[in-house]
Amino acid sequence: MPLDLFSPAKLGSIALKNRIVMAPLTRNRSGEAGVPQDLNVTYYAQRASAGLIVTEATPISPMGHGYPGLPGIYTDEQVAGWKKITEAVHAKGGKIVIQLWHVGRISHPTLLNGALPVAPSAIKPAGKAFTYQGLVDYVEPRALDANELPAIVQDYVYATQCALKAGFDGVEIHAANGYLLDQFLRDGSNKRTDNYGGSFENRARLLLEVTKAVVETAGGDKVGIRISPVNPFNNMHDSNPQALFNYVAEQLNQFNLAYLHAVEGGIHGVGKVDAFDFEQMRKLYKGAYMANLSYDKVRGNDAIASGHADVIAYGVPFIANPDLVERYKTDAALNEADSKSFYGGTEKGYTDYPFLKA
Ligand code: PHB
């Protein structure tokens, strides 16, 4: 039998009962203190039939926040809140990794105790920040000095230690979608002239330093990385994404990671998406590959059968279908997602989507 979405898989040390992964999804329902709530426990536990859950993007430090209501992973209270989630998912036989996030310039002083957002270069993104006061123009971020970067690497290490204490099966380093590590990678947002700007080697340096430090903390077999080579969201662009991300994929081979996770296009329907050969990049990478974006059951099975992907991450379908695995297995109809309740709010549009069987 060829492999398909329902075949078990191993990503590093993480054993999956199927190849249907819940993609990271920002939901803004953890309050101003950034502590996971009981409502969040219910939400993740409802989705534990996924082969693996990747949590919503989770700030690694106070400066890593860029939206209201995000849960963090750097205080004891946050660890205790997440522990309830990992225990609930494990009790149902699921696996869960936490996505480690620093937003960089995609933030606002009102979310940072008055501080300016930080970035590789002082370039204001187009668009608006989503704050507790509503949508407001982004500000020009402060360019990080190279001597500040070791402390940011250390924040990733501390967050990883917190994640392990909270009982996660692993961590996913968020290097996608126009946030800090992606801002360093791509030359539309990185105009530095030091060791962290210019060549591919220099622009990938912070990501590789973070990866090395996180791998030393958790073990490479518990670490994944998410990239989005051509996603224009958050005003991102690169002059040569294929060569840059081919280089990144080859460099990541040295860490024997649990997986490489790629967003294979543009999210939120914004901007022109450059041509990119994901299969070429995927062949350069020697480990497990998680594909994401706009897959359905048929295309997911095809990507696994052809060897393009080992596992498939589904986002919006998991918002609306807590039992997505069962629905795919039985070819049942899917619930429609209500986009108005994606970001923030109550249990409505969060934990009240119906299961097939009550
Ligand atoms: C979002 O809030 O729209 C968002 C957050 C994190 C991502 C992508 C999108 O990686």
Side-chain angles (χ1 to χ4, degrees):
M1 273 250 295
L3 294 173
D4 67 10
L5 285 168
F6 308 102
S7 310
K10 196 110 190 274
L11 300 178
S13 69
I14 313 166
L16 280 59
K17 59 195 171 194
N18 60 59
R19 293 171 185 245
I20 300 172
V21 175
M22 178 174 165
L25 295 158
T26 294
R27 305 304 306 272
N28 311 84
R29 281 167 169 88
S30 294
E32 289 210 27
V35 176
Q37 321 266 307
D38 289 346
L39 184 63
N40 310 138
V41 179
T42 304
Y43 165 75
Y44 283 111
Q46 284 178 338
R47 288 156 180 78
S49 57
L52 177 68
I53 293 171
V54 183
T55 70
E56 63 205 276
T58 300
I60 59 164
S61 67
M63 282 300 289
H65 283 259
Y67 302 90
L70 304 175
I73 184 69
Y74 52 86
T75 72
D76 291 346
E77 293 73 22
Q78 293 164 350
V79 168
W82 280 116
K83 195 156 192 292
K84 291 193 208 167
I85 291 172
T86 63
E87 285 172 355
V89 169
H90 289 153
K92 294 191 156 188
K95 297 286 163 72
I96 182 167
V97 300
I98 187 167
Q99 197 193 45
L100 302 179
W101 198 19
H102 191 308
V103 297
R105 68 181 183 174
I106 303 299
S107 191
H108 190 269
T110 59
L111 295 163
L112 302 172
N113 286 316
L116 275 181
V118 295
S121 302
I123 302 170
K124 181 167 97 117
K128 308 246 182 208
F130 175 20
T131 73
Y132 286 102
Q133 290 77 40
L135 291 172
V136 298
D137 286 342
Y138 283 117
V139 298
E140 184 178 296
R142 181 174 72 76
L144 285 158
D145 195 279
N147 69 22
E148 295 177 272
L149 299 178
I152 292 181
V153 174
Q154 193 49 43
D155 287 339
Y156 280 91
V157 168
Y158 187 67
T160 301
Q161 291 167 339
C162 288
L164 296 173
K165 243 196 261 174
F168 283 101
D169 297 292
V171 300
E172 178 176 290
I173 297 168
H174 189 346
N177 300 343
Y179 299 104
L180 183 70
L181 296 174
D182 196 27
Q183 290 159 27
F184 270 85
L185 286 172
R186 291 198 258 176
D187 60 12
S189 45
N190 182 345
K191 306 289 184 193
R192 298 176 74 93
T193 55
D194 64 3
N195 284 343
Y196 291 88
S199 64
F200 301 147
E201 290 83 350
N202 284 354
R203 283 186 272 138
R205 191 177 308 281
L206 182 61
L207 171 62
L208 297 176
E209 288 175 349
V210 166
T211 305
K212 179 170 185 286
V214 169
V215 163
E216 282 169 2
T217 307
D221 60 357
K222 289 190 166 62
V223 179
I225 294 195
R226 194 177 207 223
I227 55 174
S228 60
V230 287
N231 183 8
F233 179 59
N234 283 329
N235 205 204
M236 293 299 288
H237 184 254
D238 191 80
S239 57
N240 191 353
Q242 190 81 53
L244 168 63
F245 285 91
N246 284 356
Y247 171 79
V248 168
E250 285 187 297
Q251 288 299 307
L252 292 177
N253 284 327
Q254 68 188 285
F255 299 108
N256 294 313
L257 300 173
Y259 63 86
L260 177 63
H261 182 180
V263 182
E264 297 180 330
I267 68 168
H268 293 320
V270 289
K272 175 180 165 289
V273 177
D274 291 327
F276 192 89
D277 183 346
F278 281 92
E279 186 56 23
Q280 184 185 109
M281 179 188 77
R282 193 267 172 279
K283 286 211 176 82
L284 294 169
Y285 184 67
K286 303 305 175 201
Y289 182 83
M290 182 183 292
N292 170 245
L293 209 67
S294 308
Y295 280 87
D296 57 12
K297 174 182 168 176
V298 171
R299 276 180 288 129
N301 273 333
D302 287 349
I304 291 170
S306 74
H308 173 65
D310 295 282
V311 297
I312 309 290
Y314 294 91
V316 171
F318 257 116
I319 290 180
N321 298 278
D323 53 355
L324 184 67
V325 173
E326 179 67 15
R327 286 173 192 260
Y328 276 169
K329 195 156 214 171
T330 59
D331 285 317
L334 301 185
N335 298 321
E336 283 283 331
D338 164 38
S339 62
K340 293 188 300 300
S341 50
F342 282 0
Y343 300 110
T346 61
E347 72 283 353
K348 200 176 156 311
Y350 188 57
T351 54
D352 66 349
Y353 284 103
F355 285 74
L356 277 175
K357 306 183 215 59

